Amino acid sequence: MTAPPGRGPAETGGISGADGAFRILHVSTGNVCRSPITERLTRHALAERLGERRMGGLVVESAGTWGHEGAPMEENAVAVLLEHGADASGFTGRELLDEHVIRADLVLTATRDHRAQVISMGHSAGLRTFTLKEFTRLVRAIDPATLPAAGSPEGVVERAHALVQAAAALRGWLLAPSPEADEIYDPYGAPIPYFRSVGEEISGALDPVVTALTGVPAHT
């Protein structure tokens, strides 16, 4: 299979579950700021904790509900990724399509509106679509001992599926303290300090998620 432009061979594959991969899809509006930052920070954190071999079953992508198809990442978003040590190269924006949702095993959105838009597309997306901050809150409440070990690529995939199922089961019990608690606001057009604050917000929300996915805490 030929890799789509800007994505690379590690991010290609078939319909969810058909090739044994677990697909994480990050969604924002334009797919030039928040979701690219989240996509590349997720990949960076997974590679650091699992190494290239064990993260081979995890595919991390992004798209936008009003995606700037083919557009480069915003320059300030690139700068934030480089400051975090993540790879910002080769990115091109995508508009969110049905096929992206169908293939995804976990959809993490920047806001509740994005979550609603993904769910409204159908494809039984409701049980695997969360805002990033919502998913963070839920996985913090899951006992990692109840999840499969992530000692192999297959184990990582099995653990990821179990984590999503456990989070979905908790959703009605652990509500956000306020609607704003589940939002990551758009830095588009903002100066670099605001982009940095959004990058820190995303990084902080991702840390418990990556720990739960991998069973490996962040390096201190």
Side-chain angles (χ1 to χ4, degrees):
M1 179 179 291
T2 301
R7 295 286 157 178
E11 290 91 65
T12 62
I15 293 173
S16 173
D19 60 355
F22 182 93
R23 287 177 169 76
I24 302 170
L25 177 67
H26 293 294
V27 175
S28 63
T29 303
N31 194 217
V32 291
C33 297
R34 288 168 292 181
S35 50
I37 290 173
T38 315
E39 172 192 320
R40 295 306 176 92
L41 287 180
T42 303
R43 287 193 207 166
H44 179 65
L46 289 171
E48 276 197 329
R49 302 192 203 188
L50 291 176
E52 293 297 331
R53 186 188 70 83
R54 279 201 294 156
M55 72 169 287
L58 299 177
V59 176
V60 187
E61 300 178 307
S62 64
T65 56
W66 290 88
H68 297 198
E69 188 73 30
M73 198 185 312
E74 280 289 293
E75 289 185 6
N76 284 344
V78 171
V80 166
L81 286 173
L82 294 178
E83 290 173 1
H84 282 264
D87 181 14
S89 64
F91 181 86
T92 54
R94 303 193 305 178
E95 183 175 354
L96 181 67
L97 302 176
D98 289 89
E99 66 188 68
H100 302 145
V101 177
I102 291 168
R103 286 156 55 99
D105 298 291
L106 172 61
V107 184
L108 298 175
T109 69
T111 70
R112 292 169 297 141
D113 282 346
H114 296 134
R115 181 184 64 195
Q117 289 179 67
V118 172
I119 293 172
S120 73
M121 295 172 73
H123 315 301
S124 303
L127 291 177
R128 51 194 166 91
T129 303
F130 310 79
T131 73
L132 171 59
K133 287 187 170 181
E134 174 190 22
F135 196 65
T136 301
R137 182 174 65 253
L138 296 171
V139 300
R140 285 183 184 275
I142 296 169
D143 182 356
T146 64
L147 300 172
S152 66
E154 296 77 17
V156 171
V157 169
E158 184 182 1
R159 183 183 180 95
H161 281 293
L163 182 67
V164 172
Q165 292 172 4
L170 284 174
R171 183 163 12 209
W173 299 92
L174 291 175
L175 302 179
S178 68
E180 292 75 22
D182 281 345
E183 304 283 292
I184 296 174
Y185 293 106
D186 194 355
Y188 185 78
I192 188 64
Y194 190 74
F195 267 84
R196 287 191 179 112
S197 69
V198 169
E200 289 297 330
E201 186 178 10
I202 291 170
S203 179
L206 279 174
D207 180 65
V209 172
V210 175
T211 298
L213 282 169
T214 64
V216 180
H219 299 306
T220 56

